[in-house]
Amino acid sequence: MQASRIAPSGAQTKVVVVTGDDAFAEQVRSTFGASTKITLDVIKGGLTSAGDIDVAGASVVVVDIDASDEAQLEALTRLMTRIGNWPPVVAVTQAFEETAARRLMQMRVADFLVKPVAPVELVRTCARVAKAPGGADTTEAQIFTFLPAVGGAGVTTLAVQTAMLLLNSGARGKTATCLVDLDFQHGACADYLDIEPRLNLSEIEPSPERLDRQLLEVMLSRHPSGLSMIAAPNRPAEMRSFDPDVVTRLLDLVSSHFDYVVFDMPRTWFSWTDSVLLGSNKLFVVSETTVPGLRQAKQLVAAIRERLGDGPKPQVIINRFVQKMFSAGLRKSDIEQAIGDAFLACIPNDYGLVREAIDRGVPLEEVRKGNKITLQLKQLVLPQPSAKSATASAAKKLSLSLARG
């Protein structure tokens, strides 16, 4: 067993890492070593060869284990029994395996991550679990909700692409983003991204108090891009309705662990729909360029305003809009007049691009960079620089150019 320590002066947080993986040890040193507020102990050799680990004064313990190795799981069980509830333990495993995940939950580890672990996710997890009870309040996510006014309006496409935009909106890397498919009967988010849906509400409904971070991690699906997703397997022949307390508890848990959450809503109004809409920061009603589509969008906006009162204001997006100079079809001015002040924008039509992205399970930008759909969505969901900041940026560039001259 070898131990190395990075101990800056005035350190406030002690992180103990146990690993037999040289690459992971180096990643941990790179992630935590630059901070003057962290004391880092890296114990090499793994749990089975580390003996009694000294966790005195530790704020969090990170244990890298092979979840398929029974000896390592037993060693982790002994460690958890010895240290009790503090310090919290974060388990890092080689791959996701449901049986092992459930064993980790039974041990009451504070959290677990699956390799490869992004540095920002490791830091965020350690910071969260290291907070003592009664610590600082949890930062709530920004929530974007897409609600269809008509069937086949393309809500799932817009929700998926919005989630991808938010995921990649961070100035220093990816932001923690979760896409939640709340259409439990006909949801398509998992199919669009070609990943397995893992949510099993029937399992947690009898005992909603079991729903915590560990169980949430078991039910999260992961896209190669880094996007997290909550979705249930389709049950087309069943009209599925769940206890609203279970659904809202799930959504509260998701919102407390991600920076951004995107909801893909069903057209049917359930007992929990009001709660979801009231918790939204942005509420988009999606419809199509037809007279019935505009009427139903307007009716849905009126119903939402009546039910939510002073809650989030619904904004209408018309999807697959085709602008033609000389045509008898609906023009943008007709749409604005029909919808009124709730109208937000039209998303241009590009069926071939969307179809290819869906078939490949990738974002639109991966198929064609700078496409019109993504550019329009960016304007709707990402913060736009103000005229003042844009002027300041232009002035700075001009100053730099003069300096170089």
Side-chain angles (χ1 to χ4, degrees), residues 82-303:
R82 177 164 65 88
I83 67 177
N85 294 327
W86 194 263
V89 174
V90 175
V92 177
T93 63
Q94 302 292 333
F96 179 87
E97 205 283 315
E98 187 170 348
T99 302
R102 294 186 185 281
R103 287 193 62 178
L104 293 174
M105 290 165 50
Q106 292 167 0
M107 295 180 201
R108 308 306 297 175
V109 297
D111 206 342
F112 67 90
L113 302 170
V114 178
K115 291 181 178 178
V117 181
V120 65
E121 181 66 11
L122 182 61
V123 171
R124 182 182 290 114
T125 300
C126 289
R128 178 179 55 78
V129 303
K131 291 179 181 177
D137 292 338
T138 303
T139 301
E140 288 294 320
Q142 291 291 303
I143 298 175
F144 296 76
T145 300
F146 288 83
L147 185 66
V150 295
V155 169
T156 297
T157 295
L158 298 185
V160 167
Q161 300 309 318
T162 295
M164 289 293 185
L165 285 173
L166 295 170
L167 173 72
N168 295 294
S169 65
R172 298 182 179 178
K174 296 183 183 294
T175 56
T177 304
C178 187
L179 172 64
V180 183
D181 192 341
L182 290 177
D183 190 342
F184 301 128
Q185 187 176 15
H186 299 293
C189 287
D191 292 328
Y192 276 37
L193 292 173
D194 194 25
I195 52 181
E196 178 189 359
R198 289 181 173 155
L199 176 63
N200 187 350
L201 280 175
S202 299
E203 180 181 336
I204 61 178
E205 189 171 23
S207 304
E209 67 278 359
R210 292 181 54 228
L211 189 55
D212 56 13
R213 172 67 186 190
Q214 288 84 3
L215 186 55
L216 173 66
E217 193 69 29
V218 172
M219 295 188 175
L220 276 174
S221 303
R222 307 280 188 183
H223 188 262
S225 64
L227 179 68
S228 298
M229 186 190 71
I230 292 285
N234 276 343
R235 297 289 187 271
E238 299 177 15
M239 184 60 183
R240 309 175 78 189
S241 182
F242 298 95
D243 185 337
D245 290 339
V246 175
V247 177
T248 53
R249 182 181 176 90
L250 171 67
L251 302 186
D252 286 343
L253 186 62
V254 171
S255 300
S256 66
H257 287 90
F258 290 90
D259 298 320
Y260 295 109
V261 178
V262 179
F263 291 138
D264 181 356
M265 298 289 289
R267 193 179 176 197
T268 303
W269 204 286
F270 291 95
S271 55
W272 41 263
T273 300
D274 284 357
S275 298
V276 175
L277 302 189
L278 282 168
S280 304
N281 298 98
K282 292 285 187 179
L283 174 53
F284 302 121
V285 172
V286 183
S287 194
E288 61 185 8
T289 319
T290 63
V291 171
L294 300 184
R295 286 175 178 167
Q296 293 194 42
K298 188 170 185 177
Q299 291 167 2
L300 183 55
V301 166

Side-chain angles (χ1 to χ4, degrees), residues 349-354 356-357 360 362-375:
N349 182 46
D350 194 335
Y351 179 72
L353 170 66
V354 172
E356 182 176 349
R360 292 170 53 186
V362 298
L364 297 177
E365 279 291 281
E366 189 169 322
V367 178
R368 187 193 306 159
K369 286 190 176 295
N371 64 84
K372 292 182 180 180
I373 297 176
T374 301
L375 292 176

Side-chain angles (χ1 to χ4, degrees), residues 384-398:
Q384 301 298 311
S386 63
K388 183 177 179 180
S389 63
T391 302
S393 176
K396 183 177 181 180
K397 291 180 180 178
L398 177 61

